[in-house]
Amino acid sequence: MNATPKSERLHIAIFGRRNAGKSSIINALTNQNVALVSDVAGTTTDPVYKAMELLPIGPVVFIDTAGIDDVGELGQMRVKKTYEVLNKTDLAVLVVDSSTGIGDYEKELLNKIREKKVPVVGVINKTDLHNISDEVLKAWEKDLGINFVRVSAVSKSGISNLKRAIVVNAPYDDTEMSIVGDLVRDGQIAVLVVPIDKAAPKGRLILPQQQVIRDLLDHDAIAVVTKEHELKRTLESLNQKPALVITDSQAFLKVDADTPKDIPMTSFSILFARYKGDLNQLVAGAKAIEALKPGDKVLIAEACTHHRQSDDIATVKIPRWLRQLVGGDLEFHWVSGGDFPDNLQEYRLIVHCGGCMINRREMMYRLSVAAEKGVPIVNYGVLIAYVMGVLDRALDPFPLASMTFKGLI
Amino acid sequence: MNATPKSERLHIAIFGRRNAGKSSIINALTNQNVALVSDVAGTTTDPVYKAMELLPIGPVVFIDTAGIDDVGELGQMRVKKTYEVLNKTDLAVLVVDSSTGIGDYEKELLNKIREKKVPVVGVINKTDLHNISDEVLKAWEKDLGINFVRVSAVSKSGISNLKRAIVVNAPYDDTEMSIVGDLVRDGQIAVLVVPIDKAAPKGRLILPQQQVIRDLLDHDAIAVVTKEHELKRTLESLNQKPALVITDSQAFLKVDADTPKDIPMTSFSILFARYKGDLNQLVAGAKAIEALKPGDKVLIAEACTHHRQSDDIATVKIPRWLRQLVGGDLEFHWVSGGDFPDNLQEYRLIVHCGGCMINRREMMYRLSVAAEKGVPIVNYGVLIAYVMGVLDRALDPFPLASMTFKGLI
């Protein structure tokens, strides 16, 4: 990791008044699951750099701007230093002492941060000494136009929330990510199986279907879209073997049956499990189902709250499937939004939603938290393929995940 | 038209206090471009029915609820009568006298109309006698939760706006409309040519493309989606001749060249010209370009306002194309949103946008206004096909429009 040059690391600069606790926050972050790599002491006016590995982002460097003070107005020299740090900042963290509160210092600083179009995470520190009410926090957030995370660098409370806020708000380049473009080459055909049921929005395609078609076109490939009942006829009408058949999970069994064995087949959900997260980790999570015993605790986690339907997947279908597979009852708990519970290590399995409403960064963060605690995690799409007995085939296009599933690695 | 039974006509009931001018409004509407068919006089307490043809809706019947009064609270008998009328009302028109204003009478009536889930158009009448300010109108609209059209039944001002409001708000059943499902049968293939340029939204498909794919699936057909550069290869990879090739207008010439002559070809724009309006009328509008002479007035109408790009179609491309076709300058005027100008008959041609933001009803209304004034109207999509010299071929799937274009009907 020391081989990663500082310039290629994500630069996270910590701003705030002299006694707000900037250095303690960096220490709390580094002690919690990040490896401290170097500690280059600066002069009294120069910022201090701390390089470390922050999962799932990778190598980052925290910049402790201890030299920037809050005494009176920002002087010429201080403004210059702030600007200099901002020029190399990818994400700014603004630390506020809960007992001092906000004022012109924070507003001026935020103006300068915004001029540079740098994303900001707000932190209220020292909540062990002086906690503030939700009303006050909301007023501060409205006044400054940023969101705050409550933290105590001393007691470590809120540090995992802060880490999550940093991960989610850090800029990243996803232009190299491809949903399916690496599996279907120039001029090749992918067949998309799109069942039309009552839940399908009238006159439209749902976003994942659009994204797959668009990704195929972006890679000079051809998308053939059909319903499950026309799949056989569709395959017969092609005189070029499709590179891939992609189905909605609800038609998995029919599509498995109707797709010749020499044509690779997977699901939209598995493509997005890979695009949004780490397919290998999720497949390892599916494999962990085999080790579940009656009485084990299973956490079912959804990234957002939504109206539950009568045959809801989280509360009805998944518990039913897992009980059948285990041959006995399990202890199910459910969470939605935000963080995992503190007692995460008590669970034998986490079943996570597909994360359609969160970005890759946030899903990767959740996966990294599960990995840190040593809890297997699977998502809905991979679980459904596993339950239906088609995961083996659906992983063929993904050699590493396939080897994971077969227990070869 | 007398053959249309009353029960199959759209029922438009006119509500309002005794002297609000309900009957005059019906008379103004019937005198303006609608044919009065029957005038069944009722008793003093029974409503009066007037059947007529209201384009583009077709046969309607106005119900003059003169029997419902505004004296004091609505009595038992009056309430019963109101309910009886509402039970057969498809659209309610609430007439308010501008000098009387609104009160509990209107609120009670609206509550009853809303209970029946009937759409409402509000009318402020007698604006020739007493006009009201925008502020007062807005306050009334906010108070009642409906929009008002200012009208004078006597001077006829505002009557065309009222007609438009009735047309746009009247309920209608579009479930029988098909974008493309009548052209591509069960198990047949349509090839969709979707160029990906900088203007295409990242990672998505635009709505018309989604709608066409979805309509094909809804009709058990197969959608093959490809870029223009892969079209040849795509057609070679099919061993079933596609029933239709549908292209984005910007790739018209390449797709025309790369699609064998025995495969029907058209554009998304032409499909939507038919779906949203009257393709025959728009094709007749394209034909009228041949009769344009230098100096003629051309109206370019867009349904909504949007940011104009440097090579804007309305202000740059269409004027350039038409000048080239006519071989001289033309007098262009532009309008956006709302109604056509009053002097519509002075124009030799109307060029209308595709109307992506308005519904079929509103587009049909605009077409009917152009037809009434005897002004040819074409839309962007049909015009582009005409300018590129491919309209003839692109109309082959539509026999009537094709015959219109060839001057056979």
Side-chain angles (χ1 to χ4, degrees), chain B residues 78-102:
Chain B
R78 307 265 182 228
V79 170
K80 195 157 166 285
K81 287 280 175 202
T82 307
Y83 269 113
E84 279 174 15
V85 170
L86 274 174
N87 284 336
K88 53 188 163 188
T89 298
D90 299 305
L91 177 82
V93 175
L94 172 60
V95 182
V96 172
D97 183 329
S98 61
S99 54
T100 311
I102 62 168

mmCIF file of all heavy atoms in Angstrom, chain B residues 78-102:
data_model
loop_
_atom_site.group_PDB
_atom_site.id
_atom_site.type_symbol
_atom_site.label_atom_id
_atom_site.label_comp_id
_atom_site.label_asym_id
_atom_site.label_seq_id
_atom_site.Cartn_x
_atom_site.Cartn_y
_atom_site.Cartn_z
ATOM 1 N N ARG B 78 -82.932 19.738 -4.292
ATOM 2 C CA ARG B 78 -81.879 20.257 -5.185
ATOM 3 C C ARG B 78 -80.651 19.349 -5.156
ATOM 4 O O ARG B 78 -80.047 19.065 -6.176
ATOM 5 C CB ARG B 78 -81.463 21.660 -4.727
ATOM 6 C CG ARG B 78 -82.613 22.623 -4.569
ATOM 7 C CD ARG B 78 -82.791 23.438 -5.837
ATOM 8 N NE ARG B 78 -83.860 24.389 -5.692
ATOM 9 C CZ ARG B 78 -84.828 24.561 -6.608
ATOM 10 N NH1 ARG B 78 -84.842 23.801 -7.690
ATOM 11 N NH2 ARG B 78 -85.760 25.467 -6.438
ATOM 12 N N VAL B 79 -80.280 18.936 -3.936
ATOM 13 C CA VAL B 79 -79.111 18.071 -3.802
ATOM 14 C C VAL B 79 -79.337 16.791 -4.592
ATOM 15 O O VAL B 79 -78.450 16.322 -5.308
ATOM 16 C CB VAL B 79 -78.849 17.746 -2.312
ATOM 17 C CG1 VAL B 79 -77.786 16.663 -2.183
ATOM 18 C CG2 VAL B 79 -78.424 19.005 -1.574
ATOM 19 N N LYS B 80 -80.547 16.270 -4.469
ATOM 20 C CA LYS B 80 -80.870 15.030 -5.172
ATOM 21 C C LYS B 80 -80.714 15.206 -6.682
ATOM 22 O O LYS B 80 -80.148 14.364 -7.371
ATOM 23 C CB LYS B 80 -82.317 14.628 -4.825
ATOM 24 C CG LYS B 80 -82.674 13.201 -5.171
ATOM 25 C CD LYS B 80 -83.849 12.700 -4.352
ATOM 26 C CE LYS B 80 -84.418 11.410 -4.920
ATOM 27 N NZ LYS B 80 -85.214 11.607 -6.152
ATOM 28 N N LYS B 81 -81.203 16.334 -7.175
ATOM 29 C CA LYS B 81 -81.111 16.623 -8.614
ATOM 30 C C LYS B 81 -79.641 16.718 -9.043
ATOM 31 O O LYS B 81 -79.245 16.220 -10.094
ATOM 32 C CB LYS B 81 -81.828 17.938 -8.957
ATOM 33 C CG LYS B 81 -83.328 17.843 -8.914
ATOM 34 C CD LYS B 81 -83.856 17.205 -10.198
ATOM 35 C CE LYS B 81 -85.379 16.993 -10.102
ATOM 36 N NZ LYS B 81 -85.840 15.977 -11.023
ATOM 37 N N THR B 82 -78.844 17.419 -8.218
ATOM 38 C CA THR B 82 -77.430 17.561 -8.545
ATOM 39 C C THR B 82 -76.784 16.191 -8.650
ATOM 40 O O THR B 82 -76.057 15.900 -9.604
ATOM 41 C CB THR B 82 -76.708 18.361 -7.430
ATOM 42 O OG1 THR B 82 -77.416 19.577 -7.219
ATOM 43 C CG2 THR B 82 -75.268 18.658 -7.823
ATOM 44 N N TYR B 83 -77.083 15.348 -7.647
ATOM 45 C CA TYR B 83 -76.518 14.001 -7.658
ATOM 46 C C TYR B 83 -76.925 13.248 -8.907
ATOM 47 O O TYR B 83 -76.134 12.556 -9.517
ATOM 48 C CB TYR B 83 -76.976 13.227 -6.420
ATOM 49 C CG TYR B 83 -76.028 13.379 -5.266
ATOM 50 C CD1 TYR B 83 -76.399 14.055 -4.114
ATOM 51 C CD2 TYR B 83 -74.737 12.838 -5.332
ATOM 52 C CE1 TYR B 83 -75.526 14.203 -3.058
ATOM 53 C CE2 TYR B 83 -73.859 12.980 -4.281
ATOM 54 C CZ TYR B 83 -74.256 13.660 -3.140
ATOM 55 O OH TYR B 83 -73.389 13.787 -2.110
ATOM 56 N N GLU B 84 -78.203 13.379 -9.262
ATOM 57 C CA GLU B 84 -78.702 12.646 -10.430
ATOM 58 C C GLU B 84 -77.943 13.042 -11.677
ATOM 59 O O GLU B 84 -77.541 12.196 -12.468
ATOM 60 C CB GLU B 84 -80.198 12.891 -10.622
ATOM 61 C CG GLU B 84 -81.044 12.020 -9.708
ATOM 62 C CD GLU B 84 -82.525 12.365 -9.783
ATOM 63 O OE1 GLU B 84 -82.923 13.081 -10.734
ATOM 64 O OE2 GLU B 84 -83.257 11.934 -8.887
ATOM 65 N N VAL B 85 -77.721 14.338 -11.837
ATOM 66 C CA VAL B 85 -76.978 14.803 -13.017
ATOM 67 C C VAL B 85 -75.533 14.312 -12.942
ATOM 68 O O VAL B 85 -74.978 13.836 -13.931
ATOM 69 C CB VAL B 85 -77.029 16.343 -13.126
ATOM 70 C CG1 VAL B 85 -76.061 16.830 -14.190
ATOM 71 C CG2 VAL B 85 -78.442 16.797 -13.441
ATOM 72 N N LEU B 86 -74.937 14.406 -11.759
ATOM 73 C CA LEU B 86 -73.535 14.006 -11.622
ATOM 74 C C LEU B 86 -73.316 12.532 -11.949
ATOM 75 O O LEU B 86 -72.258 12.148 -12.434
ATOM 76 C CB LEU B 86 -73.033 14.290 -10.199
ATOM 77 C CG LEU B 86 -72.522 15.709 -9.993
ATOM 78 C CD1 LEU B 86 -72.195 15.938 -8.524
ATOM 79 C CD2 LEU B 86 -71.301 15.987 -10.865
ATOM 80 N N ASN B 87 -74.350 11.724 -11.700
ATOM 81 C CA ASN B 87 -74.197 10.301 -11.974
ATOM 82 C C ASN B 87 -73.990 9.994 -13.451
ATOM 83 O O ASN B 87 -73.500 8.932 -13.796
ATOM 84 C CB ASN B 87 -75.419 9.531 -11.460
ATOM 85 C CG ASN B 87 -75.364 9.378 -9.952
ATOM 86 O OD1 ASN B 87 -74.286 9.424 -9.363
ATOM 87 N ND2 ASN B 87 -76.520 9.228 -9.334
ATOM 88 N N LYS B 88 -74.405 10.934 -14.301
ATOM 89 C CA LYS B 88 -74.194 10.677 -15.731
ATOM 90 C C LYS B 88 -73.253 11.700 -16.352
ATOM 91 O O LYS B 88 -73.187 11.833 -17.567
ATOM 92 C CB LYS B 88 -75.539 10.631 -16.471
ATOM 93 C CG LYS B 88 -76.424 11.827 -16.250
ATOM 94 C CD LYS B 88 -77.799 11.579 -16.877
ATOM 95 C CE LYS B 88 -78.820 12.566 -16.321
ATOM 96 N NZ LYS B 88 -80.177 12.264 -16.749
ATOM 97 N N THR B 89 -72.522 12.431 -15.499
ATOM 98 C CA THR B 89 -71.631 13.482 -16.000
ATOM 99 C C THR B 89 -70.213 12.947 -16.199
ATOM 100 O O THR B 89 -69.645 12.345 -15.299
ATOM 101 C CB THR B 89 -71.596 14.664 -14.998
ATOM 102 O OG1 THR B 89 -72.906 15.219 -14.899
ATOM 103 C CG2 THR B 89 -70.612 15.729 -15.429
ATOM 104 N N ASP B 90 -69.651 13.198 -17.390
ATOM 105 C CA ASP B 90 -68.259 12.826 -17.660
ATOM 106 C C ASP B 90 -67.315 13.986 -17.363
ATOM 107 O O ASP B 90 -66.158 13.799 -17.020
ATOM 108 C CB ASP B 90 -68.091 12.409 -19.126
ATOM 109 C CG ASP B 90 -68.942 11.200 -19.464
ATOM 110 O OD1 ASP B 90 -68.801 10.179 -18.774
ATOM 111 O OD2 ASP B 90 -69.751 11.289 -20.408
ATOM 112 N N LEU B 91 -67.813 15.202 -17.549
ATOM 113 C CA LEU B 91 -67.017 16.402 -17.283
ATOM 114 C C LEU B 91 -67.951 17.479 -16.756
ATOM 115 O O LEU B 91 -69.019 17.700 -17.331
ATOM 116 C CB LEU B 91 -66.337 16.899 -18.572
ATOM 117 C CG LEU B 91 -65.524 18.196 -18.410
ATOM 118 C CD1 LEU B 91 -64.147 17.876 -17.843
ATOM 119 C CD2 LEU B 91 -65.382 18.925 -19.735
ATOM 120 N N ALA B 92 -67.555 18.139 -15.668
ATOM 121 C CA ALA B 92 -68.373 19.206 -15.096
ATOM 122 C C ALA B 92 -67.764 20.557 -15.451
ATOM 123 O O ALA B 92 -66.547 20.726 -15.411
ATOM 124 C CB ALA B 92 -68.453 19.056 -13.583
ATOM 125 N N VAL B 93 -68.604 21.505 -15.837
ATOM 126 C CA VAL B 93 -68.160 22.881 -16.054
ATOM 127 C C VAL B 93 -68.840 23.735 -14.989
ATOM 128 O O VAL B 93 -70.069 23.724 -14.879
ATOM 129 C CB VAL B 93 -68.527 23.372 -17.473
ATOM 130 C CG1 VAL B 93 -68.161 24.833 -17.634
ATOM 131 C CG2 VAL B 93 -67.843 22.507 -18.527
ATOM 132 N N LEU B 94 -68.033 24.417 -14.179
ATOM 133 C CA LEU B 94 -68.588 25.257 -13.117
ATOM 134 C C LEU B 94 -68.491 26.708 -13.556
ATOM 135 O O LEU B 94 -67.390 27.236 -13.756
ATOM 136 C CB LEU B 94 -67.805 25.044 -11.821
ATOM 137 C CG LEU B 94 -68.160 25.995 -10.670
ATOM 138 C CD1 LEU B 94 -69.638 25.862 -10.288
ATOM 139 C CD2 LEU B 94 -67.264 25.747 -9.469
ATOM 140 N N VAL B 95 -69.662 27.340 -13.729
ATOM 141 C CA VAL B 95 -69.697 28.723 -14.211
ATOM 142 C C VAL B 95 -69.887 29.672 -13.030
ATOM 143 O O VAL B 95 -70.781 29.486 -12.215
ATOM 144 C CB VAL B 95 -70.846 28.921 -15.231
ATOM 145 C CG1 VAL B 95 -70.833 30.349 -15.765
ATOM 146 C CG2 VAL B 95 -70.721 27.922 -16.374
ATOM 147 N N VAL B 96 -68.995 30.689 -12.952
ATOM 148 C CA VAL B 96 -69.075 31.685 -11.884
ATOM 149 C C VAL B 96 -69.243 33.057 -12.535
ATOM 150 O O VAL B 96 -68.542 33.396 -13.493
ATOM 151 C CB VAL B 96 -67.785 31.652 -11.029
ATOM 152 C CG1 VAL B 96 -67.764 32.804 -10.033
ATOM 153 C CG2 VAL B 96 -67.654 30.321 -10.303
ATOM 154 N N ASP B 97 -70.185 33.835 -12.031
ATOM 155 C CA ASP B 97 -70.391 35.206 -12.502
ATOM 156 C C ASP B 97 -69.263 36.065 -11.930
ATOM 157 O O ASP B 97 -69.053 36.092 -10.713
ATOM 158 C CB ASP B 97 -71.759 35.684 -12.012
ATOM 159 C CG ASP B 97 -72.112 37.083 -12.515
ATOM 160 O OD1 ASP B 97 -71.186 37.891 -12.717
ATOM 161 O OD2 ASP B 97 -73.313 37.325 -12.686
ATOM 162 N N SER B 98 -68.525 36.772 -12.800
ATOM 163 C CA SER B 98 -67.350 37.526 -12.334
ATOM 164 C C SER B 98 -67.729 38.581 -11.293
ATOM 165 O O SER B 98 -66.933 38.899 -10.409
ATOM 166 C CB SER B 98 -66.647 38.189 -13.519
ATOM 167 O OG SER B 98 -67.530 39.092 -14.163
ATOM 168 N N SER B 99 -68.938 39.117 -11.355
ATOM 169 C CA SER B 99 -69.289 40.165 -10.386
ATOM 170 C C SER B 99 -69.841 39.579 -9.081
ATOM 171 O O SER B 99 -69.893 40.261 -8.071
ATOM 172 C CB SER B 99 -70.309 41.136 -11.009
ATOM 173 O OG SER B 99 -71.403 40.398 -11.489
ATOM 174 N N THR B 100 -70.233 38.304 -9.094
ATOM 175 C CA THR B 100 -70.740 37.649 -7.882
ATOM 176 C C THR B 100 -69.616 36.985 -7.095
ATOM 177 O O THR B 100 -69.581 37.021 -5.875
ATOM 178 C CB THR B 100 -71.804 36.579 -8.253
ATOM 179 O OG1 THR B 100 -72.736 37.168 -9.140
ATOM 180 C CG2 THR B 100 -72.483 36.033 -7.010
ATOM 181 N N GLY B 101 -68.687 36.340 -7.844
ATOM 182 C CA GLY B 101 -67.576 35.655 -7.187
ATOM 183 C C GLY B 101 -67.968 34.306 -6.619
ATOM 184 O O GLY B 101 -69.053 33.792 -6.893
ATOM 185 N N ILE B 102 -67.068 33.747 -5.824
ATOM 186 C CA ILE B 102 -67.287 32.394 -5.305
ATOM 187 C C ILE B 102 -67.706 32.414 -3.843
ATOM 188 O O ILE B 102 -67.485 33.391 -3.133
ATOM 189 C CB ILE B 102 -66.016 31.518 -5.454
ATOM 190 C CG1 ILE B 102 -64.854 32.110 -4.631
ATOM 191 C CG2 ILE B 102 -65.630 31.380 -6.909
ATOM 192 C CD1 ILE B 102 -63.684 31.179 -4.481
#
